Amino acid sequence: MSKKTKTILPNSDVLANSIEAFKKSFTDHIHHSLARDGRTATEHEKFLAIAYSVRDRLIDRWIKTQETYYDKDVKRVYYLSLEFLIGRTLGNSVLNLDVEGAVTEALEEMGLTLEELREEEVDAGLGNGGLGRLAACFLDSMATLELPATGMGIRYEYGMFNQKIKDGQQEEHPDNWLRLPNPWEIARPANALRIPFYGYVVSWQDETGKLHNRWDTKDYVIALPYDTPIPGYHNNTVNNLRLWSARSADDFGLAYFNNGDYIAAVHDMEISETISKVLYPNDTSMNGKELRLKQQYFLCSASLQDIVNRFKKTHGNHWNVFPEKVVIQLNDTHPAISIAELMRILLDQEDFEWDAAWDIVTKTFGYTNHTLMPEALEKWPVSLFEHLLPRHLQIIYEINARFLRTVAMRWPGDVERLSRMSIIEEGSEKMVRMAYLSIVGSFSVNGVAALHSELLKTELFRDFFELTPEKFNNKTNGVTPRRWVRKSNPLMSELISKNIGESWVRNLDDLKKLEKFAADKNFQKEFMELKRENKKRLAKYLQETQSIELNLDTIFDVQVKRIHEYKRQLLNVLHVIHLYLQIKDGKEIEPRTVLIGGKAAPGYWMAKQIIRLTNAVASVVNSDPDCRGKLALHFLENYRVSFAEKIIPAADLSEQISTAGTEASGTGNMKFALNGALTIGTLDGANVEMLEEAGKDNFFIFGLSVEQVQDLLAKGYRPRDFYEKDGDLRRVIDLIASGFFSPDRADLFKPVTDKLLSSDPFLLLADFRSYIECQERVAKAYTNKAAWAKMAILNVARMGKFSSDRTIHQYSEEIWNTKPCKISLK
Ligand code: MIF
């Protein structure tokens, strides 16, 4: 570091963490940051004041962390993702900074509670579901493991929409989360960058005959970075999450309002700024809109400029060390254009020859695939690329030509293979296959659970695996135990720590020590009591926010996740209808409350019908006096991170029932099991590994395996055969089709039953009987409270593997080759 920079930095006087110091910070912020006094400040302003007080402490460590990384010239990992589903930050920061006691006490002395103020914070909903939440768990783990890591993403002005249910149907309401100040972010206008779009490529030969290319364009937007501190758990590391916001270049004075049409100029500014306006609300399906491709390039261009600038500050033009200092992980193919962008920088700006540039690029990128769903595989029309990113298209063509030559050398004459593996898909409309670009341009390709990674090798990317098997590896997902146990389930955390100490929060494998308490009557009793407290807490919340009454003396049977046909919420509803018919037949059933929650992509009609059907069934079941105390069904509105933190600790049963071979991993499955819910699930995604850990006596597995699914489909699946031979199934389907749940419109749910009977692509009918029988085993098991408690405790004890610390440790050791860097505050 140069002397000059060092003298500018204050000699970081780290703020104290005492009760008195927090009280002082809080009142200072109420006065000086918010211009209020104790009487006039609103609850939200009080939240802001405590958030600013916590942020001050983070900033001391943040500056120190960044300075240390710079001084030690460490290898850094950049995690590029279009989604970071952070949720709330206050509680997590307080926990990680180890100031829970001081903050709670300080607030109490001022007549406030941390719990209430935490509820004032709006979720940062910058993601759809599992993929975005995984990125957020990874940030927590990277900081906890003291890895020099930076998250890079987009600062959407509107995050995931808020879901309202009206007349049983989903309505989407914009999530204007930045309407209130976001206390965690710091804008860095000094680090703003120019992002080019459109234009054309200029080519010329120099005197030596070498061909040069340059992308010429007058269309720029500005990428303005906002930084959010990401603290590790009980260490001094505070990493950075850098989110880019789009601003008009005119606004930044780079061009001027030159035609005199002031109003039109301001209008143009707004158009540039739409780039970071809104998160696309599709989870596992691709949206082919130009704006989405712009968002992707916007993130990639800004991030790469930033990464290269930082590298050059220390290393000048010593590009040979770039892959020793920088590794970039692509969270799915969304940021895959980075590969072409780094090539462009090296070739056109740094004057590299192709081979030398390609060598650097292919030592820099790792690619994570998150799904096998065909509709999620990104393909962009060549025509769109040509228009928006002409130079990148040229580069992709060249990458492809060279790549296909290596394929041809390996399999001479295999023309079909060439067309299968081409990055450019031929057809009526030529397309760029982003997954293939990602594989070819990366040194590592990983799936997110063992089964998923196998399927990548044998199915989706089989040709690529045959060519470069060494690239392929698995990194089973995990979740951060800080947010998903320690913070969301304080009662269980306390019980665990009282018995085995607190080390598990950092070393989740230490939960193994709980095994010896699994059969202990006292421990079981305490465990079941706290589960009941959690159920009570959820009941109170649902009563207050959604006017839902819950009966605590029932199994809480929960399925919360995005609504998708492959996740089979509909199978769950079929089961509820089956139970309803049992009750109507006068049979006794084990009392149950079924809770289903999740958002449907706004354009996904069938998913919305599933929500509608759930609500229709709920209204029949919940108002039938015969069901009282025995069966209830509720659709939970507006599922999101902060809501998940209340729901998951209260669950008895976790529904993980996707068709085998469709859910890449799942991460909700891990959160539930870690919170003492038992799983009913298929042999899909990470369920397989969870079963392996928990043991088959502690897990409710049903349904067809991947091989059986494949066999059935190959033979020609006929759902109607299952309908015809199973009387219970027939009654359920017929009841829906008869209009029983939609008396005002008898044919309302016909499209749903028709699809089940005609194609049923996710094999609900094939798995129905096995699911019903498995649910009967669940119900029976629940009647023996001691045995249930034992199973639940064993699940908690054996889920240590599913910490995102383990996952990140593996990424770091096996892909990134990054080393922990201790931060000292001295
Ligand atoms: C997968 O569907 C999910 O199974 C996985 C996905 O757990 C998660 C994180 O790896 O990624 N677009 C996606 S892919 N949304 C998800 O949740």
Side-chain angles (χ1 to χ4, degrees), residues 129-132 134 282-285 332 334 369-371 376 448 477 566-567 662-667:
L131 174 146
L134 185 77
N282 309 326
D283 186 39
T284 38
S285 69
D332 216 294
H334 315 152
N369 172 284
H370 292 269
T371 176
V448 291
N477 283 166
Y566 86 79
K567 295 177 189 279
T662 61
E663 188 72 272
S665 163
T667 44

Side-chain angles (χ1 to χ4, degrees), residues 92-359:
N92 195 247
S93 292
V94 163
L95 169 64
N96 281 12
L97 278 178
D98 201 10
V99 293
E100 222 177 353
V103 170
T104 305
E105 190 58 34
L107 289 172
E108 261 163 30
E109 288 183 16
M110 297 181 291
L112 300 164
T113 74
L114 177 58
E115 215 181 308
E116 278 170 23
L117 291 188
R118 272 199 322 229
E119 289 297 312
E120 286 292 320
E121 184 170 1
V122 288
D123 282 40
L126 309 185
N128 275 283
L131 174 146
R133 182 54 232 178
L134 185 77
C137 284
F138 280 6
L139 292 177
D140 184 78
S141 285
M142 292 188 290
T144 297
L145 298 189
E146 302 179 314
L147 292 174
T150 304
M152 289 194 167
I154 294 181
R155 179 182 178 269
Y156 302 105
E157 215 174 303
Y158 293 85
M160 190 58 201
F161 65 81
N162 283 311
Q163 178 193 57
K164 289 221 168 91
I165 300 298
K166 193 149 170 246
D167 301 327
Q169 299 185 71
Q170 169 173 298
E171 275 183 1
E172 298 95 28
H173 294 259
D175 165 44
N176 191 1
W177 73 296
L178 292 170
R179 191 183 44 218
L180 298 163
N182 170 5
W184 307 108
E185 65 180 14
I186 293 189
R188 306 253 187 225
N191 301 24
L193 297 165
R194 291 208 319 179
I195 314 297
F197 285 104
Y198 306 110
Y200 48 91
V201 181
V202 184
S203 306
W204 75 98
Q205 271 188 338
D206 65 20
E207 51 288 357
T208 68
K210 190 181 165 195
L211 187 69
H212 295 263
N213 293 286
R214 193 183 62 229
W215 178 19
D216 259 10
T217 177
K218 292 195 183 60
D219 282 302
Y220 291 95
V221 299
I222 298 296
L224 172 62
Y226 283 77
D227 289 347
T228 296
I230 306 290
Y233 175 74
H234 293 191
N235 61 29
N236 293 321
T237 298
V238 176
N239 281 336
N240 196 16
L241 169 62
R242 176 158 280 191
L243 300 177
W244 302 97
S245 177
R247 296 301 147 98
S248 158
D250 295 335
D251 194 28
F252 265 69
L254 293 169
Y256 207 65
F257 298 132
N258 44 13
N259 59 3
D261 191 346
Y262 174 76
I263 297 296
V266 173
H267 178 74
D268 287 350
M269 280 167 54
E270 269 174 24
I271 292 174
S272 325
E273 294 177 2
T274 56
I275 291 183
S276 58
K277 191 62 84 185
V278 56
L279 166 77
Y280 275 94
N282 309 326
D283 186 39
T284 38
S285 69
M286 119 128 205
N287 182 304
K289 296 276 156 56
E290 176 173 342
L291 181 59
R292 170 72 176 184
L293 184 60
K294 275 191 173 173
Q295 290 186 337
Q296 296 184 346
Y297 181 65
F298 174 76
L299 166 64
C300 295
S301 168
S303 302
L304 275 167
Q305 288 184 54
D306 195 34
I307 292 167
V308 166
N309 289 345
R310 189 168 299 109
F311 172 79
K312 289 183 104 179
K313 226 162 100 186
T314 317
H315 299 281
N317 281 328
H318 295 107
W319 278 99
N320 56 318
V321 297
F322 189 76
E324 289 159 37
K325 295 296 170 188
V326 172
V327 56
I328 301 173
Q329 192 66 33
L330 304 174
N331 197 23
D332 216 294
T333 57
H334 315 152
I337 324 161
S338 302
I339 291 168
E341 174 67 0
L342 184 56
M343 277 307 277
R344 189 187 67 83
I345 293 172
L346 293 172
L347 294 169
D348 300 359
Q349 285 165 216
E350 302 292 329
D351 223 14
F352 267 73
E353 298 293 336
W354 183 278
D355 287 338
W358 187 241
D359 185 57

Side-chain angles (χ1 to χ4, degrees), residues 405-578:
R405 280 206 282 281
T406 67
V407 177
M409 298 290 270
R410 174 79 165 68
W411 291 282
D414 193 343
V415 186
E416 252 179 43
R417 190 185 287 262
L418 286 179
S419 90
R420 282 205 308 270
M421 295 182 79
S422 175
I423 297 171
I424 306 296
E425 182 183 271
E426 302 290 335
S428 54
E429 165 123 65
K430 278 198 196 181
M431 306 287 259
V432 183
R433 294 162 160 163
M434 303 307 274
Y436 294 1
L437 175 64
S438 305
I439 299 172
V440 174
S442 300
F443 66 87
S444 162
V445 178
N446 76 281
V448 291
L451 173 64
H452 168 62
S453 296
E454 275 316 301
L455 293 171
L456 286 181
K457 295 195 287 190
T458 55
E459 311 270 332
L460 193 62
F461 298 149
R462 185 181 175 158
D463 291 321
F464 292 86
F465 176 63
E466 286 176 7
L467 183 68
T468 47
E470 69 285 353
K471 284 189 185 182
F472 286 77
N473 64 91
N474 172 246
K475 296 290 167 279
T476 298
N477 283 166
V479 301
T480 169
R482 270 71 65 187
R483 180 177 298 260
W484 295 110
V485 185
R486 176 61 183 73
K487 184 175 152 292
S488 62
N489 201 339
L491 297 176
M492 192 182 79
S493 299
E494 204 180 313
L495 175 67
I496 296 174
S497 297
K498 194 173 82 186
N499 285 280
I500 64 165
E502 272 191 61
S503 63
W504 61 273
V505 181
R506 194 32 245 271
N507 299 304
L508 202 61
D509 282 325
D510 287 352
L511 287 177
K512 279 249 151 25
K513 296 180 193 157
L514 284 177
E515 281 199 22
K516 66 169 185 281
F517 299 99
D520 178 321
K521 290 285 165 251
N522 271 328
F523 192 90
Q524 288 179 352
K525 189 164 157 278
E526 286 187 77
F527 189 87
M528 292 309 270
E529 275 169 9
L530 74 86
K531 177 61 81 179
R532 198 179 165 86
E533 279 305 310
N534 289 340
K535 288 166 83 165
K536 216 191 253 175
R537 178 179 74 154
L538 175 65
K540 181 165 178 284
Y541 180 77
L542 288 180
Q543 164 63 255
E544 285 167 5
T545 56
Q546 306 190 14
S547 307
I548 291 173
E549 291 288 344
L550 297 186
N551 178 348
L552 301 183
D553 298 312
T554 59
I555 311 177
F556 278 19
D557 171 351
V558 187
Q559 186 174 25
V560 282
K561 50 181 78 240
R562 289 301 290 254
I563 310 294
H564 199 296
E565 288 164 280
Y566 86 79
K567 295 177 189 279
R568 302 202 294 192
Q569 284 90 357
L570 184 51
L571 181 59
N572 192 347
V573 175
L574 298 185
H575 173 241
V576 174
I577 298 172
H578 171 74

